[in-house]
Amino acid sequence: LVLLAPSYTGYQGTGSEGWYPEMAANGATKLRSYGQYVGNRYQGFSNILWIEGGDFNPPTAGKDLIRAVANGIRDVQPQSLHTFHGGRGTAAMQYWGTTEPWLSVNDIYTDEYSVASAAYGEYARSTAPFFLVEARYENEGASEALVRTQAYQAILGGGFGHVMGNRPIWGFMSGWQSALNSPASRTISYIRTFLEQRNWWTLEPDTTATLMTSGIGTGANRAVAARASDGSFAIAYLPSTRAVTIDLTKISGSQVNAQWCDPTNGVCTAVSGSPFPAAGLKTL
């Protein structure tokens, strides 16, 4: 999957990192033609998710510029998928609403303190799929553990995926090649391995704390949980060592097999005493 920005507006729309001034100077008619050109150029690729905008919430007049590029691509690629990258703290459908025809994929853009709350908000907003497009970057305020936490908070918060960032890479700064093998990069793949062993797409986030009833925490240290829609399994992620209480009656069947899984290596081991009767609250 390639996330491709056809007209990156850039931070604050000043033109220092993007093209918003040029977009405004050319206008919507030319931008729609440009979108058609881009759509034709990449028509043979089925692995693109178009990212409209880029790190900026344009003023009302600028919305027509964003629409023009997206609709130009859709003129030649009617089935193309599009999302929007606004300013930090802005979800795509929070900014645009849920009725824009071109906006088929939602996303959240957060700091390290608001991933779970933003995910819960967009999960409730609409049935459109969403993912974490940007949060705190490794080597720019995020440790290896925080990068993993943000990913789990997004996915167990109802998202279908996440993007991790690493400061030397996004700017192709000195040493970016070695940053490809950073600690977070080496361990982030275990998330996919762990989830693909399960029917992860059936997960529903525990937004009301009825599955994990205590030990949740707040902000960047917030534990998150989700349960399969048929109750066949549940997952909880703990950013730090703590006791949590799980309501085992939320799991189907008469017994619950419980495991601890290490997110740094993907290894899972049985919880002492497991399986447990699927009755009442269990502190782990």
Side-chain angles (χ1 to χ4, degrees):
L1 176 67
V2 174
L3 308 182
L4 190 58
S7 54
Y8 196 79
T9 49
Y11 180 65
Q12 295 186 340
T14 62
S16 61
E17 295 181 1
W19 303 103
Y20 186 71
E22 288 80 2
M23 293 172 68
N26 278 276
T29 300
K30 288 183 178 180
L31 286 174
R32 185 150 189 164
S33 296
Y34 165 71
Q36 293 167 354
Y37 163 77
V38 170
N40 277 310
R41 180 172 182 174
Y42 295 99
Q43 194 165 24
F45 295 90
S46 60
N47 62 327
I48 294 174
L49 169 59
W50 296 99
I51 300 218
E52 306 298 347
D55 210 8
F56 173 56
N57 294 336
T60 301
K63 286 189 170 184
D64 284 339
L65 306 178
I66 303 293
R67 288 188 183 102
V69 176
N71 287 326
I73 295 172
R74 292 175 73 241
D75 286 340
V76 294
Q77 293 186 26
Q79 302 304 314
S80 56
L81 299 176
H82 298 256
T83 190
F84 169 75
H85 183 204
R88 189 183 297 274
T90 304
M93 290 187 178
Q94 177 189 19
Y95 178 76
W96 289 94
T98 60
T99 59
E100 290 284 328
W102 60 270
L103 185 58
S104 50
V105 179
N106 197 6
D107 63 33
I108 56 175
Y109 176 10
T110 74
D111 57 24
E112 64 270 42
Y113 306 109
S114 57
V115 178
S117 58
Y120 291 167
E122 295 315 301
Y123 183 81
R125 186 180 303 279
S126 77
T127 58
F130 74 90
F131 68 107
L132 175 63
V133 67
E134 185 174 349
R136 192 64 65 196
Y137 284 9
E138 189 178 17
N139 294 309
E140 197 172 12
S143 64
E144 169 193 356
L146 180 56
V147 169
R148 286 196 303 268
T149 294
Q150 292 173 150
Y152 275 105
Q153 287 175 335
I155 296 170
L156 297 184
F160 70 79
H162 72 100
V163 177
M164 68 161 283
N166 194 327
R167 177 171 173 78
I169 295 173
W170 74 257
F172 293 105
M173 300 159 186
S174 177
W176 72 266
Q177 295 93 335
S178 60
L180 293 169
N181 195 37
S182 68
S185 295
R186 290 197 301 271
T187 63
I188 206 75
S189 63
Y190 294 122
I191 297 177
R192 178 172 181 168
T193 303
F194 174 79
L195 290 170
E196 288 189 344
Q197 294 171 348
R198 297 157 177 85
N199 293 340
W200 65 269
W201 57 90
T202 67
L203 288 171
E204 298 176 344
D206 183 31
T207 58
T208 56
T210 56
L211 171 65
M212 183 167 59
T213 62
S214 70
I216 296 171
T218 60
N221 200 38
R222 182 171 183 165
V224 285
R227 186 187 74 133
S229 55
D230 63 359
S232 58
F233 73 100
I235 299 172
Y237 181 81
L238 282 56
S240 60
T241 302
R242 71 189 70 183
V244 295
T245 302
I246 305 294
D247 185 352
L248 299 184
T249 66
K250 302 299 182 182
I251 308 300
S252 60
S254 60
Q255 290 189 312
V256 175
N257 290 302
Q259 293 180 312
W260 289 115
C261 297
D262 186 341
T264 68
N265 58 25
V267 175
C268 297
T269 56
V271 174
S272 178
S274 175
F276 302 111
L281 304 177
K282 179 69 178 178
T283 299
L284 304 171

